[in-house]
Amino acid sequence: MTATHAFWLAGRQATGETTFDVTSPWDGRLVGKVGVPSEAQVEEAVAAAHAVVDEFAATPAHVRAAALDHVSKRLVERTEEIAQLISAENGKPIKWARGEVGRAVSVFRFAAEEARRFNGGEAQRLDTDAGGTGRLALTRRIPKGVVLGIAPFNFPLNLSAHKVAPAIAVGAPIILKPAPATPISSLILGELLAETELPAGSWSVLPVPNDRMPALVQDERLPVISFTGSGPVGYAIMDSVPRKHCTLELGGNGAAVVLADWATEADLDWAATRIATFSNYQGGQSCISVQRVIADASVYDRLLPKIVAAVEAQVTGDPSDSATDVGPLVSEDAAKRVESWVDEAVRAGASLLAGGKREGAAYAPTVLADVPADVTLASEEVFGPVLTVQKAEGEAEAFAAVNSSKYGLQAGVFTHDLQTAFRAHRALEVGGVIIGDVPSYRADQMPYGGAKQSGVGREGVRYAMDDYTYERVLVLTGLAL
């Protein structure tokens, strides 16, 4: 895993004048060297994408679908190799890395299916008024132009897939900028796309450093931006280009609500296990990981020790070991930040019930109770393996606690009652409500995105395809309807 990786410029491999090292957050070993595109090469990629806009939009659906199917099948064939790579560059436990590859397989397969049925059009009679006699309207969705996809480090393959696959499905050229910490997974997608018959220029994978991203964002030839990452960066992008179409999938501090009717031992064991797993999976580096548990007072005292025991049972260590549940964070600086937030909460009076220790880039799975409302951990996204637990007196108070956050990505509600489920769906200010489970559930075909400061727009293959296109109407005149 120490090769120098070329990048992909308008569908072909290219090397730059410089390289940078990708290292493992677990043990610091060199995973690979990656070529850095020069400014001239970036310009070449953007110009090629812009030049091919009309050609790619007119590409037959079967060509785009075949390319997407090919990538899906090749990901299956190379699953273990790619999973090992994700684990090495990201620090993600291998079992979660294998799951990420499986999800990317599905994303490309879903996109291939949608490409075959997308853009079929809708016929609308206009003779509902006298002035529309003999007129029929047909609508189709047309790509808005080149997509700039900016992917994060935490799901370096699957969240790149969520940018690339919908763009190809609708015939929109895409320039993918992977995260500097984890670019190699995205470059693998380039290898697979290069095996297809997509038009030259319709895609590029450019691992440019973050300080060169503003020039790409500002480029008028890139009218659509799809960004996944932090709130400050996402909103800075949107504020800097108010006339562009921006989809932002930003942060969260996901809440799991456990209501009074979720009260049997089996219920609480299930909730505790799911909460412990999904507050710590990916090292807690998921915007829908469980950061807060809000438990009804009637079950709180029974649930809390179960959560602590389940968290303490999480296996930490070498991410290449299939038994490992929790690996390191993406960097030691990230772990130090988590450590500082937990220490601040404890100094302010929070009770540390498990974890609270850092070793290099690794931070132990942590549970806190009685966290004061004015500490950073109570209001910001921790993006680490840290869980807070609080008590609520009834459903209304629990839902109000969820809504007290400035974020609104997803929430989980443990209840057996259907009416409660519908009340939660209506009341909770989030993009998705998961009943009977944690907020961390995501199916890659469902609409996914947030409310409030968790972003704008939706991902999920079909929903991203809508986002990358606009409706164009054709009116036919003089028809005998």
Side-chain angles (χ1 to χ4, degrees):
M1 291 188 182
T2 56
T4 298
H5 297 268
F7 51 88
W8 294 91
L9 194 167
R12 70 179 193 277
Q13 280 191 312
T15 56
E17 297 174 355
T18 61
T19 64
F20 66 94
D21 292 344
V22 178
T23 58
S24 165
W26 170 246
D27 56 16
R29 75 184 186 278
L30 179 66
V31 179
K33 291 180 176 292
V34 173
V36 180
S38 67
E39 291 187 8
Q41 288 171 317
V42 172
E43 167 59 27
E44 183 180 349
V46 174
H50 182 67
V52 82
V53 164
D54 291 340
E55 177 189 348
F56 196 30
T59 301
H62 71 86
V63 173
R64 290 179 271 118
L68 293 162
D69 273 330
H70 175 83
V71 174
S72 180
K73 291 171 184 175
R74 293 286 283 135
L75 285 170
V76 172
E77 294 169 359
R78 297 179 63 178
T79 291
E80 189 60 25
E81 170 202 350
I82 298 171
Q84 295 282 352
L85 181 57
I86 292 171
S87 182
E89 68 173 348
N90 174 281
K92 180 175 298 192
I94 187 64
K95 67 179 182 181
W96 294 114
R98 290 175 183 134
E100 179 175 348
V101 179
R103 289 181 60 186
V105 168
S106 296
V107 168
F108 278 93
R109 187 181 74 250
F110 295 152
E113 294 166 356
E114 292 291 352
R116 292 185 173 97
R117 58 177 170 252
F118 191 71
N119 231 8
E122 177 185 352
Q124 182 181 20
R125 294 181 66 131
L126 301 180
D127 60 353
T128 49
D129 288 310
T133 299
R135 296 181 188 267
L136 182 74
L138 298 175
T139 58
R140 290 193 299 164
R141 298 199 69 87
I142 307 297
K144 293 173 179 173
V146 184
V147 177
L148 172 60
I150 305 171
F153 71 81
N154 57 330
F155 290 86
L157 179 71
N158 194 44
L159 292 183
S160 293
H162 271 284
K163 314 298 184 191
V164 172
I168 292 172
V170 301
I174 181 163
I175 292 176
L176 178 68
K177 183 213 167 303
T182 57
I184 304 176
S185 305
S186 297
L187 295 174
I188 292 288
L189 285 181
E191 292 182 28
L192 306 183
L193 288 167
E195 299 169 354
T196 72
E197 298 180 2
L198 294 175
S202 61
W203 59 273
S204 293
V205 184
L206 303 179
V208 296
N210 285 342
D211 61 5
R212 290 171 56 193
M213 188 169 69
L216 278 170
V217 167
Q218 292 289 335
D219 197 303
E220 293 183 358
R221 295 167 294 179
L222 308 176
V224 179
I225 298 174
S226 178
F227 171 85
T228 301
S230 73
V233 175
Y235 285 119
I237 288 172
M238 189 167 69
D239 290 345
S240 72
V241 285
R243 289 182 173 84
K244 289 195 178 189
H245 180 88
C246 294
T247 298
L248 307 179
E249 198 276 279
L250 307 176
N253 55 1
V257 177
V258 184
L259 294 177
D261 69 310
W262 200 269
T264 69
E265 290 303 309
D267 284 344
L268 297 178
D269 286 343
W270 163 256
T273 299
R274 297 293 284 178
I275 287 165
T277 298
F278 288 97
S279 64
N280 294 292
Y281 85 127
Q282 328 291 337
Q285 297 170 123
S286 168
C287 45
I288 48 175
S289 67
V290 186
Q291 183 171 331
R292 299 180 291 154
V293 175
I294 302 162
D296 189 89
S298 64
V299 299
Y300 179 89
D301 290 337
R302 294 163 56 211
L303 177 63
L304 182 57
K306 291 178 183 289
I307 291 175
V308 172
V311 168
E312 290 178 333
Q314 295 286 298
V315 178
T316 61
D318 186 346
S320 66
D321 187 337
S322 293
T324 297
D325 299 312
V326 187
L329 275 70
V330 72
S331 68
E332 186 169 357
D333 284 346
K336 286 179 177 178
R337 178 190 54 76
V338 172
E339 179 182 44
S340 70
W341 289 13
V342 172
D343 290 349
E344 176 201 18
V346 172
R347 287 194 303 270
S351 301
L352 181 65
L353 305 180
K357 296 179 181 179
R358 181 183 66 83
E359 185 174 346
Y363 196 80
T366 297
V367 182
L368 301 104
D370 308 313
V371 176
D374 59 349
V375 301
T376 308
L377 190 61
S379 59
E380 297 297 334
E381 179 182 40
V382 66
F383 226 59
V386 177
L387 178 68
T388 69
V389 188
Q390 67 187 86
K391 188 183 299 185
E393 297 288 347
E395 175 189 308
E397 185 173 305
F399 289 176
V402 174
N403 290 341
S404 68
S405 172
K406 65 183 179 182
Y407 297 107
L409 194 47
Q410 292 196 163
V413 180
F414 288 89
T415 181
H416 296 289
D417 186 75
L418 186 60
Q419 293 294 342
T420 301
F422 275 93
R423 286 197 298 272
H425 191 224
R426 182 175 62 248
L428 297 180
E429 298 165 354
V430 295
V433 178
I434 315 300
I435 300 298
D437 206 350
V438 292
S440 316
Y441 177 79
R442 177 183 181 183
D444 291 285
Q445 71 271 36
M446 78 185 199
Y448 177 76
K452 298 191 284 190
Q453 292 188 32
S454 287
V456 295
R458 290 294 180 268
E459 288 195 335
V461 176
R462 175 56 193 264
Y463 303 92
M465 291 168 69
D466 286 344
D467 227 28
Y468 294 168
T469 57
Y470 68 96
E471 281 189 323
R472 182 183 291 172
V473 64
L474 171 70
V475 177
L476 301 175
T477 304
L479 300 179
L481 297 178

